Every structure is written in C-alpha cells, then in structure tokens.
Amino acid sequence: MTQTAALEVLEPGLQTTVQDYPGRRGRQSLGFFPSGPVDSLAFRLANLLVGNRPGAAALEIPLGRFQAGVLAPGRIAVTGPETSVTLNGSPVPQWESVPVETGDVLACEVLRGPGHRLYLALSGGIAVPEVFGSRSTFLLAGIGGLDGRALERADILDTFPSTPSRPRRLPVSLRPTYPTAWEIEILRGPHADPDFLTTEDFADFLAASWRCDLSSDRVGIRFNPHRFRWARPSGDVAGGHPSNLLDSSYPPGGILAYGDVLTVLGPDSNTSGGFAVIATVASASLWKVGQLRPGRDTVTFREIDLDQAAALTAHVNQLLDVKALS
Amino acid sequence: MPPPAPARPDVTYRTAGDRALLVEYGPPLPVDLGLNFFAHASARHLEENPVRGILEVAPGLRSLLVHYDPETIQHDAVIAAMDRLHQEIPEPGSLVLPSRRVKLPIAFDDSTSREAVERYQITTRPDAPNVLDGNNVDYLVRSNGLPNREALYSRVLESEWWNAFTGFYPGLPSLLPLDPRSELVAPKYNPARSWTPEGAVAFGGPCLVVHPIESPGSYQLFGRTLPICDLVRRPRAHRADPILIHPGDRISFYRVEEAELIELRRQVFEGRYDYDIEPGRYAVADHLAVQADPAIAAEAAKRRADRVAAQELVKIP
C-alpha cells in the first residue's frame, strides 16, 4: 500500500505517541499489556470523524501542546478536552473533521482547563509498522509507534491512502465532559473484602475522594496514599505487606493496592504481579482515567454490577455508531 | 510406595471487571507447583477446545486470568465453561505438559548487577536493610540461612527451574525450582529499584526471575545471564518468537565467569550464538516422584526449617 508523508512534527509536546485501538491484544501470557490510547473513547471518535476505522493509528497528545506542518491534503480531527486548535493561526473546531492542505500549520495549545489528553486523527490513519499485531507505542520496551518512542521535532508521519469522506461532526450533546471531580464506575474485586480488605476498608474506598498523584502516566494512575486496615496480618511468603499475594495476571483497569497506594493499571502497565487488585474499572468507563489531571483532579469510585456495566458498554457503543455523527 | 495421587484443586472464581474472570486454584499457601501445572493444563485445554467469546488466558502462579467478550459470552457462561473444562482435564498426577529445556550460562555476583544495587543505594535508599553492605547476594545467603555464597549458587545450579508464568514485563519468566531442595525465598525491595540491567537474574518471594529488558524491579539481584528477549534486535534462536523462555519451559543454569558471559553476550548481539534449547514434555508424575522421595523430602524440610529460623533473625524490610 502506498503511503504519503502527511505531517512534519514542529513541536512534539510532552510525550506524544502513536497509538491504535484496542492495541496489542492476545499476548498477556507473554507479558504484554495492550498499550493503545488511555482514553479510547475520544481516540475512536477522532478516527470516526475523519472517516477511519476506529482502530486506525492516531496520535495521543498528553497536556495538549503540539504543532505540525501539513505535507499532504486530507482531513484531521482533534478530540478531547477543550483547547485552542488553529490552522495557520485561525481557530478550527474540535470534535469535527477539518480539511487540511499542503503547507498548513496545525497547532494545539497546552490544556488549561480540565482534561489531560488530546487525540489527533489523520484521514487514512498513521502508517507505522505493526509490531506484534499493533501500531501502538510501548515506551518501556521501545516497540511500536515511530521507532518505539515518543515523537520528536522533525519526525515525519506517513498515512495510508484514504477515500474522501463527508465532513463529520459530533453533536455537542454527545461529547464527553471533563470535570475536575470525577466519578468512575468500578466492579468489586478480584481481591476485595472480606478475604483481603475489611468491609470497612471497602466502604472507605468507595466513600473517599481520591487525589490523582503527580506521578501518573500511561503505566499507572496513582492516588494519594491511604492506610487500609486489611483483613489479614501479612502476605506471608509472598511479601510482608498484607496487600501481597502470590503473583497472578492483572486485568487492565485493575485498581491495585500497591502497598498503601492505589494505582489504576494503565495500558502500558506490568501484566502481573503480587499485589491485591481490590476493584476493576468498568471497561466502558476506563476512558475516564485517561483524562485525569495528575496532581489536580479527584475521583470517587462508584460500585456497579455486571448488568450495569453491560448497559454502560451499550451506551458507549451507541456513541461510537457512525450514524450518531452529523 | 507410590506417591499419593493429588486431587483436582478447589477452584475460586473472582470477578475481575466486566471483561475478565480470575480463576484461582487451591489454597493461597503454601506455594504448590501442582497448582501451577493444573493452571497450565487448563490454559492448554482451553486453547485446544476454544470457547466462543473467550479471547485469551494469562496464567499466574496458581491462577488463570480469563479474558472474555461480554457481548458474546456472559460471566455465568464463562464460569460454566471453566467448570466443564476442569472436569475434562486428566487427573493432575497424569498430566504431561509441553516443556522445552533451555540451558543458560550464569555469572554470579557480576559487576552490572552490583552497579544496579549501588545506584539504588545512591539514588533511592542508602540505608535499605535488604541491600546488606551493598550486596544482594550476601543478603540472600543470610536470609535463607545458608552457610556461604557457594551454597546459594549450588541451590541455583542443582535444580531445573520451571517457568510458572511469563509476565510483568514482556518475556519475563517467573521460575520455581522443580527440586524442592532448591527452594529459596527473598523479600522484595521497598521501595522498588528504578533501574535493573537486562539479563539480570534475581529472587523475589519464592520466584527466580530473569530480566528481559532494562526496567525497574524489586527483586534481589544475584547474577546475570544472556538476553532472553528480542523485541528490537534479531539474535538467532529468537526467530520463531521474540520471547526465548515460554511458559512451562524448564531452565537450567551453568556457571561461567563474568568475562566469558560478556563474550557470549557479544556473540548473541552479533547473531553468532545458538541458544541451547531442547524440545520436550514434562510429566507431573516425575515431580511427584521427586517430592515423595523420603531422602529428598527430609532434606527439603530441613532446609526450609533453616530458612525459617534465619528469617526470624534477619530483619525483613
């Protein structure tokens, strides 16, 4: 398939990476978590807006700062929190496809309000090689994306050919909102009360407002330390702390009790380990953790059951139906 | 006297979100290789008899994480399918699993592992009790109640090591000794180390691990071996899969001096090294026979008692 040079990076931003959805699946037993976008909802919507498959490769731009020169005509869409997006200095809207011409300069300003990651899709999708079945960047192992790393100044991004698509726009009423105090739906377990935490501990977990720690990233979203009581004195041979258990594989979105620090396992996290996973973020709500601002936002966790999780999934699928786009 | 036939383990199902189910086998402790064999047999049986909607499974020491698509198969149906599967698996004592034998050189207490410990002391925790005198090897010797470093090295060299599962990082094997006399236990660093060299060999909890990539880590470092993962390079023998050590493989180590290891590592990077890999299978009955041997069992029990006594004396951080 012929590829076209589509963008030249002028300002790469904090840690902009190429990702695809659902990422590198089917290899957890060999130690790979999926990678892919932390906010897969805004990511997939960006692709749909420019006429791509939801799984095409696109950019994840944490904190929003990014500039690039356009090398070929096509369409772009920027989704995620509200910021200033300009083409040759003139504002262009987010959440809709925007035509671009060779020689244009696209710029996204640093995010000043709530929300943490922008997504930029290019018509055709970014053409980087697949590594173990995915184009997603996995920084720690240095694989996927563009040479396994974050973008740098003067990088050239190619795209695959695309067929012209109609302009598309996501109605305002359907766009996700980005608060400063979040509510995130979780399912209890696999290692909750009464075997691991006490019933009071789990009630505390649900009642507390958790502050997203500055050290949060694609590997994990960490929260303020909290001393649980725990239902057992220690982890025995697995380790001293009662959160320790014999190693097992972790579910993506699992909320790990890493000693006294709760961590949501991000897309680049380790795939297994010896800590209790006290709850797991509902798959349809996992996008929210991609928009938590390190050091600023707070979260309360709301327990739901499997039926409610299925209803949430159905709702998100509706959003991702092309027919919803105008 | 034939070894007692182990029963099928008790199964605990735990919800792990709306797209995964954690299946746990047997009681949490003690560490029992038999439960790991059963987990592998379950994973393999599922691979050979796929269930629509079950996407992938990832083993742990005594568990399986089963990923499923809730829009194709419901939680209850996954449990029913796993229940059926557990009944279909042969008696644990008759299990024979695919298992290759991989021989790897090891240089004990090498300079790169020592550097990682040194860096930790400088940048993270100068007074960490688990890096006694700046050396993890001496700490391992003391906390396991061993007379000296050579005794530690012998434990590593004398057993074959079973890859109970691959995880944490791409290609990282968690190995348990097939010979119960080689059981060792080590506390993990607190806090974790920010840098571990690729190829480092370390102990944490009951597991021996080999680091496939440069990464953080919290296990006690005691040696270094060859690269075991080829995510970006192309050494020979990784052609079929970038991961050298598969779940269920048996690893044995042979001792080399550091200079020789460096030369062998050079051969790997230059694509001139052929890894020593022998295809094969492993019968759980072999493990049960070793466990049931009275002399071996007595020696293993004595060593375990020495270890427990030592841990009373050595402060665990």
Side-chain angles (χ1 to χ4, degrees), chain A residues 24-321:
Chain A
R24 205 163 277 115
R25 301 304 276 269
R27 295 183 69 84
Q28 186 170 354
S29 64
L30 292 174
F32 292 80
F33 241 25
S35 296
V38 198
D39 174 356
S40 64
L41 180 60
F43 179 92
R44 284 180 285 172
L45 285 166
N47 269 326
L48 291 176
L49 288 166
V50 297
N52 292 344
R53 291 174 302 108
L59 295 184
E60 175 174 280
I61 309 172
L63 215 62
R65 194 180 69 220
F66 183 76
Q67 261 190 58
V70 177
L71 303 177
R75 287 187 166 275
I76 60 117
V78 178
T79 61
E82 191 181 319
T83 188
S84 158
V85 182
T86 58
L87 205 57
N88 310 317
S90 304
V92 293
Q94 291 173 252
W95 298 103
E96 61 181 87
S97 66
V98 174
V100 292
E101 293 298 332
T102 307
D104 286 351
V105 173
L106 172 74
C108 308
E109 282 292 295
V110 74
L111 299 176
R112 301 199 185 280
H116 187 56
R117 288 180 171 93
L118 287 183
Y119 290 92
L120 168 60
L122 313 172
S123 50
I126 296 171
V128 290
E130 283 195 2
V131 180
F132 309 130
S134 162
R135 300 182 212 283
S136 284
T137 312
F138 179 20
L139 290 172
L140 188 76
I143 59 166
L146 195 70
D147 302 333
R149 58 171 171 80
L151 297 189
E152 291 170 8
R153 194 180 301 263
D155 278 342
I156 304 291
L157 294 172
D158 294 346
T159 52
F160 292 114
S162 61
T163 48
S165 69
R166 289 185 303 110
R168 281 176 178 166
R169 178 174 178 277
L170 186 71
V172 176
S173 62
L174 297 182
R175 295 177 192 177
T177 53
Y178 305 104
T180 55
W182 293 76
E183 182 183 79
I184 295 181
E185 293 79 2
I186 56 105
L187 291 106
R188 181 178 291 238
H191 296 119
D193 64 315
D195 306 355
F196 299 89
L197 294 174
T198 63
T199 307
E200 293 82 27
D201 283 333
F202 202 81
D204 288 353
F205 164 64
L206 293 176
S209 170
W210 298 90
R211 175 168 289 273
C212 178
D213 192 88
L214 261 183
S215 64
S216 299
D217 52 21
R218 289 180 47 80
V219 174
I221 292 83
R222 300 168 182 90
F223 297 101
N224 54 290
H226 173 79
R227 187 142 299 173
F228 289 109
R229 296 168 190 86
W230 293 97
R232 52 206 213 129
S234 88
D236 203 328
V237 68
H241 195 279
S243 66
N244 285 178
L245 40 85
L246 283 184
D247 290 33
S248 66
S249 289
Y250 290 152
I255 303 177
L256 202 66
Y258 195 59
D260 299 323
V261 175
L262 293 185
T263 302
V264 181
L265 298 166
D268 286 355
S269 195
N270 45 288
T271 59
S272 65
F275 291 95
V277 177
I278 64 166
T280 310
V281 176
S283 59
S285 302
L286 197 47
W287 66 269
K288 294 178 181 178
V289 304
Q291 297 296 355
L292 295 174
R293 286 181 302 171
R296 304 185 72 164
D297 290 356
T298 58
V299 178
T300 52
F301 294 105
R302 184 164 71 89
E303 188 182 3
I304 61 170
D305 62 23
L306 286 166
D307 289 339
Q308 290 167 307
L312 276 180
T313 299
H315 175 69
V316 167
N317 287 348
Q318 243 173 2
L319 271 182
L320 290 164
D321 187 341

Side-chain angles (χ1 to χ4, degrees), chain A residues 21 24-33 131-132 138 140-143 187-193 195-196 232 235-240 244-252 258 268-275 277 279-284 305-307 309-310 313-314 317, chain B residues 14-20 22 24 28-32 55-65 67-68 70-71 74-76 165-172 174 185-186 188 192 205-207 213-216 218-219 230-232 234 241-243 245-247 307 316-317:
Chain A
Y21 179 84
R24 205 163 277 115
R25 301 304 276 269
R27 295 183 69 84
Q28 186 170 354
S29 64
L30 292 174
F32 292 80
F33 241 25
V131 180
F132 309 130
F138 179 20
L140 188 76
I143 59 166
L187 291 106
R188 181 178 291 238
H191 296 119
D193 64 315
D195 306 355
F196 299 89
R232 52 206 213 129
D236 203 328
V237 68
N244 285 178
L245 40 85
L246 283 184
D247 290 33
S248 66
S249 289
Y250 290 152
Y258 195 59
D268 286 355
S269 195
N270 45 288
T271 59
S272 65
F275 291 95
V277 177
T280 310
V281 176
S283 59
D305 62 23
L306 286 166
D307 289 339
T313 299
N317 287 348
Chain B
R14 298 184 186 274
T15 302
D18 55 330
R19 305 183 73 87
L22 184 64
E24 290 181 344
L29 291 168
V31 178
D32 178 358
L55 305 175
E56 67 172 298
V57 293
L61 281 181
R62 50 175 280 266
S63 61
L64 269 189
L65 184 69
H67 291 277
Y68 65 93
E71 291 168 85
Q74 298 222 325
H75 182 263
D76 292 351
F165 73 105
T166 294
F168 200 71
Y169 292 132
L172 187 145
S174 284
V185 170
K188 298 157 193 167
C207 292
I213 53 177
E214 278 188 55
S215 59
S218 58
Y219 285 17
D230 168 36
L231 298 173
V232 281
R234 295 268 137 222
D241 198 295
I243 305 299
I245 303 172
H246 295 180
R307 191 180 75 216
I316 292 182

